[in-house]
Amino acid sequence: MRRPFVVGNWKMNGSRERAQALVVGVCSGAFGLPEVDIGLCPPFVYVGDARAAIGDASVLLGGQNCAGVERGAFTGEVSADMLADVGCAFVLVGHSERRTLYGESDDEVARKTELALAAGLVPVVCVGETLVEREAEQTEAVVGRQIDAVMARLDDDGLARIVVAYEPVWAIGTGRTATQAQANAVHAFLRERVAARQPNVAAGLRILYGGSVKAENAALLFSEPDVDGGLVGGASLDAEQFVGICRAAG
């Protein structure tokens, strides 16, 4: 049985006061959900405040990104080791916005995954296709290529420690959501892709869905056999709605 995981990605939103209020609200709601892993990814400048606000609550802190290098003269970058040092348990790598807005390649995402694992973090590896790619029936080719690049760099132990998040780019922030069947079909394909290399790892691999997940549609999405939770964007900026999504995963 795969343990559900719901991650809130605040992206570049909020203020110090709002971040603390959100954490407090989520932690209060998470108290009654021991069967779900709940994670929050605040902007980097609020990570310390979020860590303090979480305290002893069973909420995991995550980074929205990490550098593709360990250290050095890379102004503005944050390393995986630094995230671990300030209390992060996981980090997003290859988010669609990093790929589309900042040109991150499959190889760079794979390198970040390696560095995150080396730092003791759980990499949440994001994969997904654009609307043009879906309409051209290239979904499996795209997400297959993306996950293959990561698998090529990892041994079986490393592969067993990652989480995958399928986020169709056409359904992020657009109000459009993949149907539960569409989402599960891609999740099943990804699981089969990993199974071709390591069946035992594939069976336990957690695959999250990210794409306009809300409290109203979460239960249907999470009812699918290969959907193990969600990567939540805008809805995670409302503590009550985000906790509702977490409840749907429980």
Side-chain angles (χ1 to χ4, degrees), residues 61-77:
L61 186 62
Q64 295 184 9
N65 181 40
C66 68
V69 290
E70 293 183 57
R71 63 184 63 82
F74 301 98
T75 300
E77 292 290 336

Side-chain angles (χ1 to χ4, degrees), residues 5-11 39-42 44 61-67 83 88-98 104 109 112-113 116 121-126 163-165 167 208 230-233:
F5 189 18
V6 180
V7 175
N9 175 22
W10 298 351
K11 306 188 180 185
L40 296 175
C41 295
F44 286 138
L61 186 62
Q64 295 184 9
N65 181 40
C66 68
L83 292 174
C88 287
F90 69 97
V91 62
L92 307 182
V93 292
H95 189 279
S96 62
E97 290 159 6
R98 300 299 310 180
E104 290 190 4
V109 172
K112 289 184 176 187
T113 302
L121 299 173
V122 172
V124 178
V125 181
C126 303
V163 171
V164 174
E167 42 166 18
L208 317 183
L231 175 55
V232 185

Side-chain angles (χ1 to χ4, degrees), residues 70-152:
E70 293 183 57
R71 63 184 63 82
F74 301 98
T75 300
E77 292 290 336
V78 176
S79 73
D81 284 330
M82 290 174 179
L83 292 174
D85 193 35
V86 296
C88 287
F90 69 97
V91 62
L92 307 182
V93 292
H95 189 279
S96 62
E97 290 159 6
R98 300 299 310 180
R99 293 180 188 265
T100 58
L101 299 180
Y102 300 98
E104 290 190 4
S105 67
D106 295 339
D107 188 62
E108 186 173 1
V109 172
R111 174 62 178 155
K112 289 184 176 187
T113 302
E114 281 187 305
L115 290 169
L117 288 169
L121 299 173
V122 172
V124 178
V125 181
C126 303
V127 301
E129 83 284 13
T130 65
L131 181 59
V132 170
E133 290 165 338
R134 171 163 279 272
E135 290 180 339
E137 299 183 352
Q138 292 297 304
T139 296
E140 291 186 356
V142 172
V143 300
R145 182 197 75 223
Q146 291 169 339
I147 198 65
D148 284 352
V150 172
M151 289 196 293

